[in-house]
């Protein structure tokens, strides 16, 4: 999880793990005191906190993947903007023949169409995150990164 610290909020995960640890410690103490009912209650509570931590880990991974995909797409859009400027300069200065220029423009249009689809995918990732579908969000973000 160290790779996610500073990139996304991991404070809830820390909180859940601390609570799980506290409950495990209390369960151990109750067990030593032969208070098995309370020990069992604390073990169940620790398990609940660990389940919350597991969900939080999936959320953290998905949010990080989303953030990376979104940043990569923004970088790509910025690069496309620069390419447009270069193509315009090439066209104005008549550096290449019309066929080559047309090929450049056609390829750029194709890339821009793909970017539109990637933007839609980014929107889907955000919707998955909002709906708590972290595994789907992470998978879709990985798919977007592979396309970029």
């Amino acid at each position: 999880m160290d790779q996610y610290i500073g990139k996304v909020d991991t404070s809830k995960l820390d909180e859940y793990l601390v609570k799980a640890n506290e409950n495990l410690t209390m369960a151990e103490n109750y067990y030593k005191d032969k208070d098995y009912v309370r020990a069992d209650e604390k073990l169940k509570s620790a398990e609940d906190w660990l389940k919350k931590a597991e969900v939080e880990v999936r959320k953290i991974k998905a949010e990080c993947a989303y953030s990376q995909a979104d940043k990569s797409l923004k970088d790509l859009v910025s690069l496309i903007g620069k390419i447009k400027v270069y193509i315009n300069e090439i066209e104005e200065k008549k550096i290449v023949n019309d066929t080559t220029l047309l090929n450049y423009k056609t390829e750029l249009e194709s890339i821009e169409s793909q970017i539109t689809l990637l933007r839609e995918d980014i929107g889907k990732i955000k919707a998955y995150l909002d709906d708590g579908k972290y595994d789907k969000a992470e998978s879709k973000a990985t798919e977007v990164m592979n396309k970029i």
Side-chain angles (χ1 to χ4, degrees), residues 73 76 107-121 147:
L73 182 58
L76 181 59
E107 186 64 30
L108 183 61
E109 286 176 16
S110 173
I111 293 170
E112 287 177 324
S113 294
Q114 292 172 6
I115 286 174
T116 299
L117 296 175
L118 290 170
R119 282 187 174 135
E120 291 172 8
D121 286 344
K147 289 178 182 177

Side-chain angles (χ1 to χ4, degrees), residues 128-146:
Y128 288 147
L129 287 172
D130 292 343
D131 292 342
K133 298 177 181 177
Y134 305 123
D135 293 335
K136 283 186 175 185
E138 184 178 8
S139 175
K140 192 66 163 175
T142 300
E143 183 183 313
V144 168
M145 288 298 293
N146 289 336

Side-chain angles (χ1 to χ4, degrees), residues 20 23-24 41-51:
N23 278 277
L24 284 173
E41 289 171 359
K42 290 301 175 183
L43 283 175
K44 286 179 183 175
S45 183
E47 182 181 11
D48 290 342
W49 285 112
L50 288 172
K51 285 179 182 177

Side-chain angles (χ1 to χ4, degrees), residues 1-131:
M1 292 305 309
D2 290 342
Q3 66 204 36
Y4 301 106
I5 295 173
K7 294 180 182 176
V8 292
D9 182 13
T10 59
S11 61
K12 279 187 182 180
L13 176 61
D14 292 338
E15 175 188 338
Y16 297 160
L17 292 175
V18 166
K19 298 262 187 195
N21 187 48
E22 288 171 356
N23 278 277
L24 284 173
T25 301
M26 286 188 270
E28 184 179 17
N29 290 334
Y30 285 135
Y31 184 80
K32 287 177 185 176
D33 293 340
K34 298 185 189 224
D35 189 347
Y36 302 119
V37 172
R38 282 186 159 163
D40 186 54
E41 289 171 359
K42 290 301 175 183
L43 283 175
K44 286 179 183 175
S45 183
E47 182 181 11
D48 290 342
W49 285 112
L50 288 172
K51 285 179 182 177
K52 287 181 181 182
E54 182 181 353
V55 170
E56 192 65 21
V57 166
R58 290 184 7 244
K59 179 182 177 186
I60 288 167
K61 287 180 178 181
E63 286 177 345
C64 191
Y66 165 75
S67 178
Q68 289 174 339
D70 189 51
K71 183 186 179 318
S72 293
L73 182 58
K74 287 177 181 174
D75 291 347
L76 181 59
V77 168
S78 175
L79 183 60
I80 294 301
K82 291 176 184 176
I83 290 171
K84 281 182 179 180
V85 170
Y86 294 142
I87 288 175
N88 287 337
E89 288 179 11
I90 288 170
E91 185 174 26
E92 288 173 9
K93 295 179 181 181
K94 301 203 184 286
I95 296 173
V96 297
N97 63 40
D98 289 340
T99 304
T100 303
L101 183 61
L102 184 59
N103 287 340
Y104 290 162
K105 287 183 175 184
T106 302
E107 186 64 30
L108 183 61
E109 286 176 16
S110 173
I111 293 170
E112 287 177 324
S113 294
Q114 292 172 6
I115 286 174
T116 299
L117 296 175
L118 290 170
R119 282 187 174 135
E120 291 172 8
D121 286 344
I122 292 290
K124 288 177 187 175
I125 297 166
K126 181 67 174 135
Y128 288 147
L129 287 172
D130 292 343
D131 292 342

